[in-house]
Amino acid sequence: MSAMALSDRPRLRSPGRMKYDKARQLELLLLPERVVELNEAAGVILRLCDGQRTIAQMIEELEAKYVQTGLGDDIVEFIASAAERGWLELCS
């Protein structure tokens, strides 16, 4: 996959979905024949990948939520990695 653009709008690749496991207090990505345990940051980012928000909007939202700046590179890197793993697809 080519480099991510801030204008890209990623979403979970169907039929993947997110689920919060209350017992283990853990975000899970449910994929066919596979469950991926996510850390908190990964879960928060993937939940924003709804096909509506651009990557730039997600960065802005997360920086405001966590009152931090400079998160963009890490967010873009994670989204690109998730897309390479087949978890995400880009909306046109």
Side-chain angles (χ1 to χ4, degrees), residues 8-10 13-14 23 28 32 36 38 45 51 56 59-60 65-66 68 75 84 87:
D8 286 340
R9 293 181 295 121
R13 184 179 300 273
S14 184
L28 302 173
V36 180
L38 303 168
I45 294 168
I59 292 168
E60 186 177 314
K65 178 177 181 170
Y66 294 104
Q68 281 187 279
I75 293 168
E84 286 174 12
W87 301 351

Side-chain angles (χ1 to χ4, degrees), residues 38-81:
L38 303 168
N39 65 29
E40 182 182 350
V44 169
I45 294 168
L46 286 180
R47 285 194 178 274
L48 293 179
C49 293
D50 58 6
Q52 302 299 311
R53 294 175 178 92
T54 64
I55 294 174
Q57 289 170 322
M58 286 187 256
I59 292 168
E60 186 177 314
E61 196 170 321
L62 291 169
E63 286 183 342
K65 178 177 181 170
Y66 294 104
V67 193
Q68 281 187 279
T69 57
L71 300 178
D73 289 346
D74 290 337
I75 293 168
V76 170
E77 184 178 321
F78 174 76
I79 290 172
S81 174

Side-chain angles (χ1 to χ4, degrees), residues 6-52:
L6 292 179
S7 60
D8 286 340
R9 293 181 295 121
R11 70 174 172 210
L12 285 178
R13 184 179 300 273
S14 184
R17 64 187 178 93
M18 297 290 298
K19 180 178 175 159
Y20 185 73
D21 183 333
K22 291 179 185 173
R24 293 187 285 172
Q25 297 187 340
L26 195 62
E27 287 281 7
L28 302 173
L29 174 60
L30 306 178
L31 300 167
E33 302 177 21
R34 189 167 155 210
V35 176
V36 180
E37 294 182 358
L38 303 168
N39 65 29
E40 182 182 350
V44 169
I45 294 168
L46 286 180
R47 285 194 178 274
L48 293 179
C49 293
D50 58 6
Q52 302 299 311

